[in-house]
Amino acid sequence: MNAAKTCWGIYRELAHSPGRVDADRAILDCVGEALAARGFNVELVAADAEFDTHFANIFVMCERGPVLARLGNAEKTGSIVVNSPGAIRNTYRHRMIELFARHHVLAPASQVVASDANKPRPPTGVWVKRYDFHATESRDVMYAASEEGWQEALRGFAKRGIPFVVAQEHVPGDLVKFYGVRNAKAPMESNWFEWFYHRDKGMLGYSFEVLCLRRAAFGAAAALGLEIFGGDAIIQADGEPVIVDINAWPSYARYRDRAPAVQLAAMPRKLAGQHAHRAPARLRGTLLPAAP
C-alpha cells in the first residue's frame, strides 16, 4: 500500500460526543469519502485502535492525552496530522485561556480554580467549567448565580475527580456558533467561514459586522494553532464579538454537505507526501496536571 496515498482518520472518543456521536462520525465519514474520491486509500478507526504512525497521513477528531501522545510521536517521525496534536491540546480550557490572553483574543475574564478550594464566588454570576476538555456531559458546564450554587458546583467537580475548574464571567449578548477552516498561507477573508445563531437561546438582536466575527474567530484559531475548528461567541450590545469557546474539528452538522470539500482544500497538499518534520506546538509554563 502506498503510504503517501493512504490516510488514517481517527474518530472522536464516544465520551467526547455527548448527544452527537452520529454527527461527529458523519463528518469524518464524509471527509474519508471525499479523500477516497481523490484517489487516497482511507482507513477510519477509533481512538484506541492501531494505526500507522510512520510517515502517515492522519486527520483526527480525537482529544484525549494517550492518543494525542501517539500522534505527537507520529509527527516526530514525519507524519502529517490535521489538526496537530499540539493544537488539539491547546483547546483544553486551561491552555486556551492562557493563549487567548497571550495573543489578545477578546474572551470572557476567566480564572482556574481548584475544585476543592474554599474560595468565595467571584462578584458576579459565572460559568463553572471543567478545566480540560469541552463538555463530555451536562455537568461539565454549570452556571453559578449565587454563593451556594458556586460551592455546589465546586463540590460536584471535586467528587467527580476533576481537580480544577475554569470560572468564566457571564457576558450578556447574543450567542452565535461558528465554523471555519484556516489556511494560514491564504488571506483570512478567503478562508471558509460560516456562522449561525445558537438554537434554543434567547435573542437580543444586537447588530454586528460578520467580518468582525470572522476576524475574532480566525484570530482565536490561530492563537491555538487550529486549522479545522468551530466555536461559540457572544455578540455584545456594541456589536463586538467575544470568543467563549473554540474546539478542534466540530461536526459541521449544518454544513456537512459543503464542509468536507472545504476542509480538504487545505489538506491534499499536506496529504500528498510533502512530509516535513513539524514538532507539535507546546505551551510552556503550565503547572496544571495533564488531562487523562
Side-chain angles (χ1 to χ4, degrees), residues 41-100:
N41 302 307
V42 180
E43 296 284 344
L44 302 178
V45 299
D48 58 356
E50 292 298 319
F51 55 88
D52 187 12
T53 58
H54 185 67
F55 277 84
N57 306 303
I58 312 171
F59 56 103
V60 306
M61 294 184 76
C62 52
E63 298 177 335
R64 284 192 174 266
V67 67
L68 294 184
R70 291 176 62 196
L71 291 168
N73 290 332
E75 280 191 322
K76 293 175 182 177
T77 62
S79 293
I80 301 298
V81 186
V82 182
N83 288 290
S84 77
I88 296 170
R89 284 187 186 276
N90 286 343
T91 66
Y92 291 6
R93 280 200 179 92
H94 64 92
R95 291 174 177 251
M96 181 180 70
I97 63 175
E98 182 178 337
L99 284 168
F100 280 1

Side-chain angles (χ1 to χ4, degrees), residues 20-37:
R20 57 179 187 270
V21 172
D22 291 341
D24 280 352
R25 289 185 66 90
I27 186 62
L28 213 67
D29 290 343
C30 287
V31 172
E33 291 168 4
L35 280 168

Side-chain angles (χ1 to χ4, degrees), residues 108 124-125 127 143 169-175 202 204 206 233-242 244:
T124 60
W127 293 94
Y143 183 68
E169 73 166 332
H170 175 73
V171 178
D174 291 331
L175 179 62
L204 297 171
Y206 294 142
I234 295 291
I235 305 300
Q236 302 179 100
D238 62 0
E240 191 77 16
V242 176
V244 176

Side-chain angles (χ1 to χ4, degrees), residues 193-213:
F193 181 74
E194 294 284 353
W195 71 275
F196 56 94
Y197 287 107
H198 204 292
R199 65 183 181 185
D200 302 327
K201 301 296 181 182
M203 282 283 299
L204 297 171
Y206 294 142
S207 62
F208 70 100
E209 295 291 336
V210 174
L211 180 58
C212 291
L213 176 61

Side-chain angles (χ1 to χ4, degrees), residues 227-262:
E227 298 167 88
I228 314 293
F229 66 91
D232 299 297
I234 295 291
I235 305 300
Q236 302 179 100
D238 62 0
E240 191 77 16
V242 176
I243 302 298
V244 176
D245 266 325
I246 193 166
N247 60 291
W249 211 312
S251 65
Y252 291 86
R254 286 197 178 193
Y255 303 99
R256 196 177 300 136
D257 57 336
R258 285 179 279 161
V262 179

